[in-house]
Amino acid sequence: MLFGMHPHQDGPLARLRRGHEDLVLELLRKHGPLSRAELGQHSGLSRTTLSDIVTELIESGAVVATAPETAPRRRGRPVEALTLNPSAGQAIGIDFARRAVHVSAVNVAHEVIGSASEPHDPGLPWEERIALAERLVGTLADGALRLGALNAIGVGVVGPVSDPDSGPPDPCPSADLPALLRKRFEAPVLVDNNTRLAALAEATWGAAAGGQDVLYLRLSHGVGGGLVVGGSLHRGAYGLSGEFGHIAVESGDGRCSCGATGCLETVASVGAVLAAYRRAGGHADGLAALLGALEAGDPVALCTLEAAAVHIGTVLAAVCNAVGPGVIVLGGELAAAGTPLFEPVERALRAHIMPISRDRVDLRPATLGEAGGALGAIALVLHESPLLSHYPARPG
């Protein structure tokens, strides 16, 4: 039963009212605390309609009004903020990265409860990875994490994830992963690609916070990304959106992990850039050494990175011309190079993007780091899960 409605009340007016309730809940899920005026601006509902909806949501316990601001106002009553009821439940985000597990938890009022992570050997069996995630979740909130009536877990995994109805395809960890997690945590599970989830996190809390159309590119041991379109994560028909690392570049004939040749990943991943630097005469046993060479102004390192950056900027321009984002976010370990990477990327981007778009796309560094996947998994739950649209039923 939804907020006390009789199950047989399913006429046009009842459906319209449920739609208004869902809209208000969705806005509070996405944005966190909002004033009534802000809710009105976002929802487009009339003041009278919004007042009726908010009153019923507060009476049902779905929404709470926080204490008014203590700052003095010239006239009128202090402004109160409306938020989803923090006691209604919490959401957990788990990122199963290649070499670590990251977890975070927030309540439905967007209040962060805690985060934790632990590295592991890349060959660690999945049962042990899940057990590690369970142990890390147990450390949050001093071991007092309570999922309550609004329990849900968002999960990020490496590799493509298909439509939820068909489950993760190979070579994802296992088609049984959601079932294993549901058994461990006794909660619904939403699964998506962790890099794509990082895009959603950056658009929610990070470098592109509040952005409706965001392109995220992660330059790591692999190259991938994600698109946020109209404020929602874009997955594509088969869950393959965001595979920017497998766009072919003009030069580059190396064999890619996908089986093709000449992919962006073959010239712009951490390993590819290190290999190119060594072929050019540079000496670096890892990324830290390369970053040090860049900081010291090593011309070979700078030239090597610039060559990769030109390919990156060219691919970004092609994607921008296709989907038209307002913000581009660059993340991943290679993004730590800073200016020596960003300047040539931006030059190539400006050179190849449509002239009308040159001053309308903002290139920014990611801000959430390795926590992005877990936070994005939480954003997946808070933004897009249908779980919140039916809470809380009235007692009895």
Side-chain angles (χ1 to χ4, degrees), residues 42-389:
H42 286 295
S43 67
L45 298 176
S46 70
R47 180 177 299 182
T48 299
T49 298
L50 181 62
S51 177
D52 289 345
I53 295 298
V54 167
T55 297
E56 185 164 348
L57 290 176
I58 290 175
E59 290 177 352
S60 73
V63 171
V64 295
T66 63
E69 297 175 354
T70 56
R73 293 170 52 86
R74 293 182 180 177
R75 62 176 61 182
R77 294 181 299 175
V79 175
E80 66 179 7
L82 300 170
T83 181
L84 295 182
N85 189 341
S87 65
Q90 297 153 350
I92 295 172
I94 303 174
D95 179 9
F96 290 107
R98 294 185 187 277
R99 298 173 175 84
V101 173
H102 311 284
V103 302
S104 294
V106 301
N107 62 30
V108 296
H110 281 221
E111 297 169 338
V112 178
I113 297 167
S115 297
S117 63
E118 187 172 313
H120 61 70
D121 184 271
L124 188 70
W126 273 98
E127 283 286 356
E128 295 183 36
R129 295 189 193 193
I130 294 171
L132 173 58
E134 183 178 29
R135 179 167 60 79
L136 290 174
V137 168
T139 68
L140 302 180
D142 297 323
L145 191 63
R146 180 191 54 79
L147 291 180
L150 270 184
N151 58 87
I153 298 175
V155 177
V157 296
V158 176
V161 176
S162 69
D163 184 270
D165 291 335
S166 60
D170 292 330
C172 281
S174 172
D176 296 326
L177 179 59
L180 291 172
L181 289 168
R182 282 195 297 269
K183 183 177 180 180
R184 288 287 186 116
F185 293 98
E186 298 182 347
V189 177
L190 300 176
V191 180
D192 212 314
N193 171 268
N194 59 356
T195 303
R196 194 157 55 206
L197 290 176
L200 183 59
E202 292 289 349
T204 304
W205 293 296
Q212 291 293 295
D213 298 281
V214 179
L215 191 166
Y216 172 78
L217 181 68
R218 183 177 183 180
L219 304 168
S220 183
H221 298 285
V223 175
L227 287 170
V228 174
V229 179
S232 297
L233 192 62
H234 177 67
R235 296 180 181 86
Y238 300 101
L240 297 176
S241 174
E243 296 293 338
F244 307 131
H246 302 296
I247 295 176
V249 295
E250 289 185 4
S251 62
D253 54 3
R255 178 69 63 176
C256 181
S257 60
C258 72
T261 57
C263 295
L264 178 64
E265 186 169 297
T266 67
V267 296
S269 66
V270 170
V273 174
L274 280 170
Y277 177 54
R278 292 165 187 153
R279 287 195 302 269
H283 299 281
D285 57 0
L287 179 61
L290 175 62
L291 295 178
L294 291 167
E295 188 175 356
D298 177 358
V300 175
L302 291 169
C303 183
T304 300
L305 188 62
E306 182 173 2
V310 169
H311 291 304
I312 294 166
T314 302
V315 167
L316 288 174
V319 178
C320 285
N321 289 337
V323 300
V327 180
I328 300 172
V329 179
L330 281 189
E333 293 92 328
L334 197 60
T339 300
L341 173 70
F342 278 77
E343 284 190 350
V345 166
E346 185 145 17
R347 285 197 300 270
L349 172 65
R350 304 303 176 196
H352 294 281
I353 200 171
M354 291 179 61
I356 195 173
S357 301
R358 285 175 185 159
D359 297 325
R360 301 183 181 184
V361 179
D362 192 5
L363 179 66
R364 305 174 187 174
T367 61
L368 299 178
E370 63 181 16
L375 289 171
I378 291 175
L380 181 69
V381 172
L382 294 179
H383 280 218
E384 302 180 26
S385 171
L387 300 169
L388 300 182
S389 65

